[in-house]
Amino acid sequence: DSGVTQTPKHLITATGQRVTLRCSPRSGDLSVYWYQQSLDQGLQFLIQYYNGEERAKGNILERFSAQQFPDLHSELNLSSLELGDSALYFCASSAGQGENSGANVLTFGAGSRLTVL
Amino acid sequence: GEDVEQSLFLSVREGDSSVINCTYTDSSSTYLYWYKQEPGAGLQLLTYIFSNMDMKQDQRLTVLLNKKDKHLSLRIADTQTGDSAIYFCAVANAGNNRKLIWGLGTSLAVNP
């Protein structure tokens, strides 16, 4: 157990629907990252939050949004789902926001597997 | 733009050494990481190296960094079937937020 909790583990839904993925970071970590992993595109960084504020944005579609709450858990909302959104979605956490001089080690959750039919 | 490349597959025999290679483009990279992803699981940090180091050894793992060629390698000695996994190279740039650039991962198959 990495200490990063993601729910649900598996999700099957239809095109056009909306889903919410949830992540609880490791205790003490202030940063949360969302990644999408698919067979054809590898690991794609979506977005990072630090202590409730958006810190960095990657290849996140406009149909997707995320937020980090005061208790530091985060949610990734995926709407108007398409077949191509089927993927593993990982949440990772780290202690800092990545701009200090030390290594920024990410701890990953086990992922949420989304299947869009 | 910044890029990290890895070969996609590697197959070795149990007991042999495995060498997984990674090349990157950003010469200002600071920290370079190796993560492992076992089937059905998330990624877990294996080791990392700071850019002012050439080598780091941790039990069966040896990381070599050639800054001139922008080449990073991970050597696993005495490879076991439990080492079968996908290995990701990730490189942190020196810019704002030390953004991580990820390779596509190398799938290591260990044959008995």
Side-chain angles (χ1 to χ4, degrees):
Chain A
D1 182 4
S2 68
V4 177
T5 304
Q6 289 190 249
T7 57
K9 284 190 171 39
H10 301 277
L11 192 54
I12 302 174
T13 189
T15 54
Q17 295 297 305
R18 172 189 168 95
V19 298
T20 297
L21 309 180
R22 184 190 165 101
C23 169
S24 293
R26 201 175 59 137
S27 178
D29 284 356
L30 298 178
S31 268
V32 168
Y33 306 76
W34 285 100
Y35 284 87
Q36 179 193 58
Q37 186 181 38
S38 58
L39 281 175
D40 57 342
Q41 293 202 355
L43 197 65
Q44 297 286 315
F45 167 66
L46 296 178
I47 198 163
Q48 177 199 357
Y49 281 83
Y50 175 76
N51 204 20
E53 300 288 328
E54 183 183 305
R55 188 68 182 87
K57 218 167 189 174
N59 300 324
I60 189 165
L61 299 172
E62 284 195 11
R63 300 184 285 109
F64 297 180
S65 64
Q67 54 183 328
Q68 187 180 27
F69 294 87
D71 67 352
L72 301 177
H73 92 270
S74 178
E75 293 181 356
L76 178 66
N77 301 297
L78 315 173
S79 61
S80 303
L81 285 167
E82 302 175 358
L83 295 178
D85 297 327
S86 295
L88 257 176
Y89 290 84
F90 285 109
C91 169
S93 70
S94 69
Q97 56 183 318
E99 58 184 32
N100 60 26
S101 58
N104 187 32
V105 174
L106 270 59
T107 303
F108 282 79
S112 294
R113 182 174 292 281
L114 173 66
T115 303
V116 183
L117 300 176
Chain B
E2 303 143 340
D3 194 21
V4 174
E5 291 194 355
Q6 303 177 238
S7 52
L8 293 183
F9 300 101
L10 177 65
S11 179
V12 301
R13 291 208 324 200
E14 192 173 17
D16 288 351
S17 289
S18 308
V19 179
I20 301 170
N21 295 301
C22 170
T23 58
Y24 57 96
T25 56
D26 185 359
S27 58
S28 65
S29 298
T30 55
Y31 284 90
L32 302 99
Y33 304 82
W34 284 105
Y35 281 80
K36 175 185 180 182
Q37 183 182 25
E38 293 180 358
L43 282 74
Q44 61 180 104
L45 178 72
L46 276 181
T47 186
Y48 64 87
I49 189 168
F50 187 51
S51 57
N52 69 352
M53 298 169 66
D54 297 323
M55 185 183 88
K56 181 177 180 181
Q57 188 154 2
D58 184 1
Q59 300 183 337
R60 293 190 297 123
L61 304 179
T62 303
V63 177
L64 294 177
L65 175 60
N66 181 329
K67 288 185 289 293
K68 176 175 166 291
D69 294 339
K70 291 185 234 148
H71 181 267
L72 181 74
S73 68
L74 173 70
R75 179 177 179 268
I76 306 172
D78 186 25
T79 312
Q80 301 298 307
T81 55
D83 294 324
S84 294
I86 302 175
Y87 291 81
F88 289 89
C89 170
V91 171
N93 66 19
N96 191 31
N97 203 36
R98 297 183 183 271
K99 178 183 172 184
L100 278 178
I101 310 298
W102 294 84
L104 290 181
T106 300
S107 181
L108 174 64
V110 182
N111 306 304

